[in-house]
Amino acid sequence: MNKEQFSLKSFFLQRLKKRCLHIPLRSSDELLKMLKEAEENYIIDSHSRSIIEGTMQLEKLEVRDVMVPKSKMVMIEHQSTTKELLDIMIKSSHSRFPIINSDKNKIQGVILAKDLLGFLAEEQNFEFNYKQYLRDSLFVPESKTLGALLRDFQQKKSHMAIVMDEYGEIAGLVTLEDVLEQIVGEIEDEHDLEEDNIIDFGEGRFVLKANTPIEEFDEFFKVKLQVENLDTVAGLVIKGFTRLPEQMDEISLQGFNFKILKTDSRRIHLLEVERSMNGNNV
């Protein structure tokens, strides 16, 4: 940083302090505007701004916006054998597994992969008794905010919660990683790279990665979007807004309603999609 930049930084920092001390912020929009101004004047970088903005969004987003739906959950039936348990754990690459009853409507608890691996390391000649290792499940409603969920995770030292709908039925699950990704961005591993781009949440609601190719979208929904020089759904949505949209912004395009579930100052990451009620193109 040269002397001119250092001087500018000092000037703006004093100005920022003065605003914070003497002009109370009246809305989150004013704070976001100040953060943008700070980035433009080299007080913070774009990544820091993105993290702050993501943290602020936690009180607006709900569990239903980021959860894994029941249809995609990896659960283990309580009567599974040790070999079946091991096969499921290896195939899924997960570390925590809900144990479900025979009717698939009640979670009995959660077991950890490390417990099974520890059992196998001792070369036991009898079946793994999951009840000895069963841990309590954390249950949360779909409408809980991610901010409140994060506090629950911290207080109860938990990394996963079972999501219940308004009728007390299992709706899905949500992890600490799902919440943290809203703050720091996508945390990808080998397993994430194999996941589907489009997930059906039921009742006409879908969640998809914003970088899903237009061709894949067309094939999945059996449509033919009218696009020109666009490769991804993110490009279609940004063109519709004529700007980079903010989190929770919504728009109707070509017979579909799009809601921005996750974004940062550079790109869209996750979208919620529903067919428009009238099915007309916009």
Side-chain angles (χ1 to χ4, degrees), residues 42-208:
Y42 307 103
I43 303 300
I44 59 175
D45 58 28
S46 60
H47 183 64
S48 299
R49 175 191 167 197
S50 177
I51 289 177
I52 298 172
E53 290 178 351
T55 303
M56 292 172 62
Q57 291 293 339
L58 291 186
E59 298 303 332
K60 296 181 180 180
L61 288 170
E62 296 180 344
V63 169
R64 62 166 57 91
D65 295 322
V66 302
M67 72 178 188
V68 175
K70 184 180 179 181
S71 62
K72 294 288 184 178
M73 287 175 61
V74 178
M75 297 182 287
I76 296 176
E77 291 191 19
H78 68 103
Q79 295 178 333
S80 299
T81 66
T82 302
K83 184 180 184 307
E84 289 171 338
L85 282 170
L86 184 60
D87 288 344
I88 292 172
M89 289 181 177
I90 293 174
K91 184 178 180 180
S92 68
S93 300
H94 293 325
S95 59
R96 293 172 175 78
F97 300 86
I99 299 294
I100 196 166
N101 64 353
S102 301
D103 296 330
K104 300 185 184 301
N105 60 6
K106 185 178 181 181
I107 300 293
Q108 298 182 353
V110 176
I111 61 171
L112 305 185
K114 68 177 184 179
D115 292 331
L116 175 60
L117 295 176
F119 172 84
L120 294 173
E122 296 177 3
E123 298 184 354
Q124 304 286 4
N125 295 320
F126 49 88
E127 284 290 303
F128 176 77
N129 183 1
Y130 76 89
K131 291 183 179 179
Q132 295 180 0
Y133 302 91
L134 200 62
R135 300 164 190 259
D136 292 336
S137 302
L138 174 62
F139 295 94
V140 299
E142 291 179 290
S143 58
K144 196 179 196 73
T145 67
L146 296 190
L149 176 63
L150 181 57
R151 291 188 286 274
D152 281 352
F153 280 150
Q154 291 175 309
Q155 293 169 3
K156 299 179 181 179
K157 296 180 173 60
S158 180
H159 288 73
M160 185 176 74
I162 306 300
V163 185
M164 310 299 288
D165 64 20
E166 58 184 312
Y167 304 105
E169 302 292 334
I170 300 170
L173 67 78
V174 61
T175 67
L176 177 60
E177 181 179 312
D178 294 325
V179 180
L180 295 179
E181 284 186 336
Q182 304 305 313
I183 301 174
V184 301
E186 202 73 26
I187 304 173
E188 290 190 343
D189 56 27
E190 294 85 351
H191 177 70
D192 290 330
L193 296 176
E194 298 173 358
E195 290 183 351
D196 296 334
N197 283 331
I198 306 174
I199 299 176
D200 185 354
F201 272 63
E203 300 182 354
R205 179 172 175 260
F206 303 86
V207 172
L208 71 151

Side-chain angles (χ1 to χ4, degrees), residues 2-18:
N2 58 38
K3 293 182 64 175
E4 182 180 351
Q5 288 176 314
F6 182 80
S7 177
L8 178 62
K9 179 176 179 179
S10 300
F11 168 77
F12 188 77
L13 185 58
Q14 291 300 319
R15 181 182 171 195
L16 190 62
K17 288 181 179 178
K18 184 178 295 186

